[in-house]
Amino acid sequence: MINIIAACDRNRLIGKNGTLPWNIQKDWDYFLQTTKNGVLIMGRKSYEDFQDHVSSYEIIVISKRDQSGCKKAKLAGSFEEAIKLGLKAKKTIWICGGRKVYEEAMPVADHLFLTQIDQEYEGDVYFPPWERIFNRPLSSTTDREKGVGLEFLVLGKNNL
Ligand SMILES: NC(=O)c1ccc[n+]([C@@H]2O[C@H](COP(=O)([O-])OP(=O)(O)OC[C@H]3O[C@@H](n4cnc5c(N)ncnc54)[C@H](OP(=O)(O)O)[C@@H]3O)[C@@H](O)[C@H]2O)c1
């Protein structure tokens, strides 16, 4: 099973200056809880941002650089290589960003776990359009933090 997990604002924003544009504990907790028994695949910049928080997780980092300093994660030179490595673990694969990794994952992923944050933030990295690919809502729960609405959506693909 290959799942994508992301959080975006009303404009599909996901990142700002190498980190998240917001500080929303409930979404971070949801991310950690949802992915904890799987293997995480992420681009090098996302890994630099997330590594301190997911040090106990099994992670595959995609990078073309020499990552000899990247001791706690496995390294893959391409998305395809990361998927091959991830499948060997025989666990759910969680695609954790960033932009290009999400794009490459959309054709092969089974589900999209998307937190929609009902607010507008400033930033520089956006989630790719997903609506035509993941067009089958499977579940939705809502919550709030600091007055901001959160919708935790799980979407599948329409096989028709
Ligand atoms: N809101 C969310 O759910 C969420 C999730 C994840 C990330 N983010 C945010 O998004 C931002 C990071 O995303 P980003 O898109 O800028 O960067 P990214 O995808 O995390 O990292 C980009 C780097 O990953 C490597 N890479 C990615 N795809 C590759 C491929 N197909 N083949 C080879 N290498 C590949 C390259 O590393 P090298 O340069 O080392 O070769 C590339 O420079 C941060 O602000 C982060 O906080 C948000």
Side-chain angles (χ1 to χ4, degrees), residues 20-36:
L20 297 175
W22 46 75
N23 181 3
I24 300 178
Q25 191 60 42
K26 282 181 181 170
D27 181 59
W28 188 245
D29 291 345
Y30 176 78
F31 170 78
L32 293 178
Q33 180 64 27
T34 306
T35 61
K36 70 177 177 191

Side-chain angles (χ1 to χ4, degrees), residues 5-9 13-22 27 31 42-50 61-67 76-80 95-102 104 114-115 117 124-127:
I5 187 161
C8 69
D9 82 351
L13 183 74
I14 61 168
K16 180 185 180 185
N17 299 333
T19 189
L20 297 175
W22 46 75
D27 181 59
F31 170 78
M42 61 185 79
R44 190 252 311 158
K45 292 181 186 171
S46 298
Y47 180 69
E48 285 171 1
D49 186 28
F50 292 176
V61 181
I62 311 177
S63 172
K64 291 204 188 303
R65 296 187 190 180
D66 171 24
Q67 298 282 317
S78 67
F79 178 76
E80 292 73 19
I95 306 295
C96 303
R99 161 99 197 184
K100 186 160 177 255
V101 183
Y102 284 140
E104 290 186 88
L114 183 66
T115 306
I117 302 168
D124 48 23
V125 186
Y126 291 83
F127 193 65

